[in-house]
Amino acid sequence: VDVPGPTGVMSLFSKPRAPEGPLPAVGTMNYLHRATPAPRAKQKTSTDRLLADVSWRLLWKDTRYEDGTIPEEEQHYVFLQPEVKTDAVKPVVSAATDPLMTAYSGQPAPVAGRWLVEDDLFGAVQLQKGEELSMHKGRKVRWVLAKP
């Protein structure tokens, strides 16, 4: 809710009064989990958009799952799984002890193989040893050699 701040010179010398409701809603409810940081609010003003610290108030505590059972009204819920495409590229699998081979745009590929853009799941090229690793989407990137 939007709580008006103190105004006037007297607000400097007196304790602020508790706001009286109803107050206009400017945000949304959130489901927060124990021991996770609460989000900061984004407040859009007439001139800017800013992040602000907010106070959260518990409206409802979900105790339905504490004994390990699923409530009757949720017994029929079906959780969707991602579709697996048969023509999808095989995932890259490597042992945790395998060192990653990396190189940057503009450098020659130290070995032949399929090179992946480190921060773009769709960026890949097939190169021969010595071919130059290209820029990706107009920027220099770090390339990682895919393990067969």
Side-chain angles (χ1 to χ4, degrees):
V1 294
D2 188 14
V3 178
T7 58
V9 176
M10 290 307 293
S11 66
L12 297 173
F13 304 106
S14 62
K15 183 178 176 183
R17 292 183 333 166
E20 294 179 23
L23 299 169
V26 293
T28 183
M29 294 190 307
N30 281 278
Y31 287 97
L32 303 176
H33 297 272
R34 182 185 316 219
T36 58
R40 297 181 76 199
K42 289 183 181 173
Q43 178 79 30
K44 185 176 181 180
T45 65
S46 59
T47 58
D48 211 355
R49 183 178 216 128
L50 55 103
L51 283 176
D53 290 322
V54 295
S55 296
W56 292 95
R57 180 177 59 157
L58 180 65
L59 299 177
W60 174 68
K61 182 177 178 182
D62 190 352
T63 58
R64 297 174 296 165
Y65 308 100
E66 289 181 346
D67 63 358
T69 61
I70 299 174
E72 186 178 329
E73 67 270 14
E74 295 178 8
Q75 293 288 326
H76 66 281
Y77 285 8
V78 176
F79 296 94
L80 301 176
Q81 297 294 322
E83 246 183 70
V84 177
K85 295 182 180 179
T86 56
D87 61 340
V89 177
K90 287 176 56 175
V92 176
V93 179
S94 65
T97 57
D98 287 349
L100 288 176
M101 184 171 294
T102 63
Y104 292 88
S105 296
Q107 294 180 329
V111 297
R114 187 165 180 256
W115 289 84
L116 310 171
V117 177
E118 184 177 53
D119 62 355
D120 182 346
L121 297 175
F122 299 103
V125 293
Q126 185 73 34
L127 296 176
Q128 297 300 316
K129 181 178 179 176
E131 286 186 289
E132 185 177 303
L133 288 155
S134 63
M135 297 193 18
H136 180 67
K137 295 184 179 178
R139 63 184 177 95
K140 289 186 175 186
V141 294
R142 184 160 90 159
W143 293 88
V144 179
L145 180 65
K147 300 288 181 178

